[in-house]
Amino acid sequence: MTTETSAEIADPSLAREAEPLVQRLVNDRAASELAAQDPTLWGPEAESEASIRLSWTTLHETSRGLVAEIDALRAELYEEGLTRVVLAGMGGSSLAPEVITATAGTALVVLDTTDPAQVRDALEGELERTVVVVSSKSGTTVETDSHRRIFERAFSEEGIDPARRMIVVTDPDSPLQTTGEESGYRKVFTADPNVGGRYSALSAFGLVPAGLAGADIAGLLDDAESIFPSVSADDESNPAIRLAAALSAAHGSGSEKVVLADSGSGIVGFADWVEQLIAESTGKSGIGLLPVPVENVEAPGFATAGGDATPVTIGPAAGAAAVGTHGSLGGLMLLWEFATALAGRLLGINPFDQPDVEAAKQATRGLLDGPAGGPAATPAAVDGDIEIHAAGEWLSPGVGTVAEALRALVNAAPANGYLAVQAYLDRLDDASISVLRPELARRSGLQTTFGWGPRFLHSTGQYHKGGHQNGVFLQVTGAVDEDMEVPGRPYTLSGLQRAQALGDGQVLAQRNRPVLRLHLTDRTTGLVELVKAVQDLRTAS
């Protein structure tokens, strides 16, 4: 049964501030023009990009034909005993399928990492019943290409024809389409090229891996279709208009961070999906909304949100929530997509480009030209099993412990700044590091985000470089026990992982943002030492 999708502005003060913006969007007929795919909504500078990025507004209709095709392929695979689906994809190619399948309770192995141990775990999971979905809009995503090469080799070594186990999702005429067709891969799906990655949840990028894993993708489209009339209506009650107006009004009052907590929605991981949508769409030209997913409505940052942050629930408004968004998964996806695009109009930015993403990719490519993902780095200090590295000139020479370095990083944040924790580790075996987010938020008083590297580079990475320049950055890298070659490439996975961390840190430092990198020479003991150092901040401030 479809759940009614809504957006409630629970804070009376914010509701009053948002009302003029609600009226502006209604009077401008912005919602109906967005539904009609009018590329002029964001001004002349954005028109060219917007004209090839608006097909997402009708995916609930245009993707219908995919359902039967996906169902037929799934039945064929299952008949052959191929019941384990691995998804190799980054950003928009992985976040939506992960949420869809987790919410449906169906198994999908998501590979959005360059950590050798995590990739090895995926390889060791019964190759005889595994099919790999290789998903990349551009067809050139370095992480995804690496996964494809590694799995091809693994299948061959097991005497399995790789082509029968590979399914591609990509844009028409991409290099990946060419590879898939020339290699005789089992199936090549080409998606609508006029849909940007972060708006592609209801396209082939979201539906193919989720459907092959057994999720009800027809129901997902039904839920989106049910809300389309309300999000496209030029009416004050339009939930997308109300959500866009609330977020934009808050931003205008200095509340540029959006703290996201689940309040019993029944949807698993929705904040991780919407994080990319908001950050990449709005974080540019020195402004934007920084999404801060947190553990629950009682978590530090949500329950303790200050004037620089707006607490928003996925589910009914609860706790300190200023806004609540409630509904089915498909309905909420379309609601947030419409609201984000409309917020872009109110903020005066183009919600469909990502001008600052390429810088980190270029820096990574430059480092990959050298051995081991870049030149050796001399730590500023070593504290137990943790090396302390700093990009830029912000760390005093006398710092000798991790606790001191963390304190210095927190103190380097400007008023109403934020702290971004970026873990270039194995998000399965090293999952305990996620405890750093609430601990650092509680002790620093800063809004604190947490991202797994390199996947956050395809999500919040745009905001870090293009949004409000008030962030400080904690990178955590770790020694690798057993590396993995990337067939046909002159680098290993750990070399790629290291180059991505150093490359992104390099670009942030060039923008005068403080970057602290803590390298765990032993991951197990280093993580314990790091948590202890964070706890010491309580008395070290």
Side-chain angles (χ1 to χ4, degrees), residues 25 30-31 34-35 41-42 53-54 56-57 198-199 240 244 247-248 277-278 281-282 334-352:
L25 291 173
L34 173 56
L41 284 170
W42 302 274
R53 288 290 178 261
L54 289 171
W56 57 267
T57 63
R198 56 189 175 274
Y199 291 85
L247 297 179
S248 302
L277 176 68
I278 299 170
S281 297
T282 71
L334 198 61
L335 166 64
W336 276 93
E337 287 173 344
F338 264 78
T340 300
L342 293 172
R345 176 177 171 85
L346 294 173
L347 293 173
I349 53 91
N350 175 3
F352 305 113

Side-chain angles (χ1 to χ4, degrees), residues 209-222:
L212 292 180
D216 178 11
I217 54 176
L220 191 74
L221 295 175
D222 289 342

Side-chain angles (χ1 to χ4, degrees), residues 160-239:
I160 298 170
D161 178 7
R164 296 295 296 165
R165 302 300 186 88
M166 298 294 221
I167 295 163
V168 162
V169 185
T170 190
D171 272 4
D173 302 319
S174 79
L176 182 56
Q177 180 185 7
T178 301
T179 297
E181 290 175 349
E182 290 181 350
S183 301
Y185 285 175
R186 183 157 195 154
K187 181 74 175 179
V188 176
F189 290 91
T190 53
D192 188 332
N194 293 333
V195 176
R198 56 189 175 274
Y199 291 85
S200 65
L202 301 179
S203 76
F205 289 104
L207 300 183
V208 170
L212 292 180
D216 178 11
I217 54 176
L220 191 74
L221 295 175
D222 289 342
D223 290 341
E225 184 175 24
S226 71
I227 192 182
F228 181 76
S230 62
V231 296
S232 59
D234 298 311
D235 187 275
E236 295 176 5
S237 64
N238 179 333

Side-chain angles (χ1 to χ4, degrees), residues 257-280:
K257 305 173 187 75
V258 182
V259 191
L260 299 161
D262 191 272
S263 60
S265 70
I267 299 172
V268 181
F270 187 83
D272 292 332
W273 173 79
V274 85
E275 178 181 39
Q276 181 198 25
L277 176 68
I278 299 170
E280 280 202 339

Side-chain angles (χ1 to χ4, degrees), residues 71-414:
D71 285 348
L73 178 58
R74 180 173 183 264
E76 182 182 298
L77 294 171
Y78 270 56
E79 188 174 337
E80 296 177 23
L82 302 180
T83 57
R84 178 175 181 260
V85 181
V86 174
L87 170 61
M90 303 297 298
S93 297
S94 63
L95 292 167
E98 187 167 43
V99 173
I100 295 167
T101 52
T103 300
T106 58
L108 177 68
V109 178
V110 176
L111 267 189
D112 56 359
T113 182
T114 46
D115 191 86
Q118 192 174 334
V119 174
R120 187 169 291 106
D121 283 345
L123 284 172
E124 293 174 351
E126 299 182 84
L127 281 179
E128 68 276 6
R129 63 181 188 89
T130 295
V131 63
V132 179
V133 179
V134 184
S135 183
S136 168
K137 180 176 174 63
S138 67
T140 60
T141 308
V142 64
E143 301 96 333
T144 304
D145 180 66
S146 298
H147 300 150
R148 179 186 66 82
R149 293 168 178 272
I150 288 168
F151 266 90
E152 272 199 341
R153 181 180 62 185
F155 283 132
S156 295
E157 290 176 349
E158 291 295 316
I160 298 170
D161 178 7
R164 296 295 296 165
R165 302 300 186 88
M166 298 294 221
I167 295 163
V168 162
V169 185
T170 190
D171 272 4
D173 302 319
S174 79
L176 182 56
Q177 180 185 7
T178 301
T179 297
E181 290 175 349
E182 290 181 350
S183 301
Y185 285 175
R186 183 157 195 154
K187 181 74 175 179
V188 176
F189 290 91
T190 53
D192 188 332
N194 293 333
V195 176
R198 56 189 175 274
Y199 291 85
S200 65
L202 301 179
S203 76
F205 289 104
L207 300 183
V208 170
L212 292 180
D216 178 11
I217 54 176
L220 191 74
L221 295 175
D222 289 342
D223 290 341
E225 184 175 24
S226 71
I227 192 182
F228 181 76
S230 62
V231 296
S232 59
D234 298 311
D235 187 275
E236 295 176 5
S237 64
N238 179 333
I241 286 179
R242 300 198 67 77
L243 178 56
L247 297 179
S248 302
H251 183 277
S253 299
S255 181
E256 81 270 13
K257 305 173 187 75
V258 182
V259 191
L260 299 161
D262 191 272
S263 60
S265 70
I267 299 172
V268 181
F270 187 83
D272 292 332
W273 173 79
V274 85
E275 178 181 39
Q276 181 198 25
L277 176 68
I278 299 170
E280 280 202 339
S281 297
T282 71
K284 56 202 73 172
S285 303
I287 62 172
L289 298 162
L290 174 68
V292 184
V294 301
E295 298 72 27
N296 51 60
V297 296
E298 302 299 327
F302 194 95
T304 59
D308 64 331
T310 305
V312 178
T313 51
I314 310 303
V323 180
T325 61
H326 185 49
S328 61
L329 176 53
L332 280 178
M333 282 176 159
L334 198 61
L335 166 64
W336 276 93
E337 287 173 344
F338 264 78
T340 300
L342 293 172
R345 176 177 171 85
L346 294 173
L347 293 173
I349 53 91
N350 175 3
F352 305 113
D353 67 350
Q354 46 281 331
D356 301 288
V357 167
E358 188 60 29
K361 293 181 181 179
Q362 290 177 348
T364 296
R365 286 193 289 267
L367 290 166
L368 281 175
D369 290 338
T378 302
V382 177
D383 184 7
D385 288 301
I386 303 177
E387 294 179 351
I388 300 169
H389 300 262
E393 306 290 329
W394 62 275
L395 188 65
S396 300
V399 168
T401 69
V402 171
E404 290 172 347
L406 289 170
R407 191 187 329 146
L409 182 67
V410 169
N411 290 340

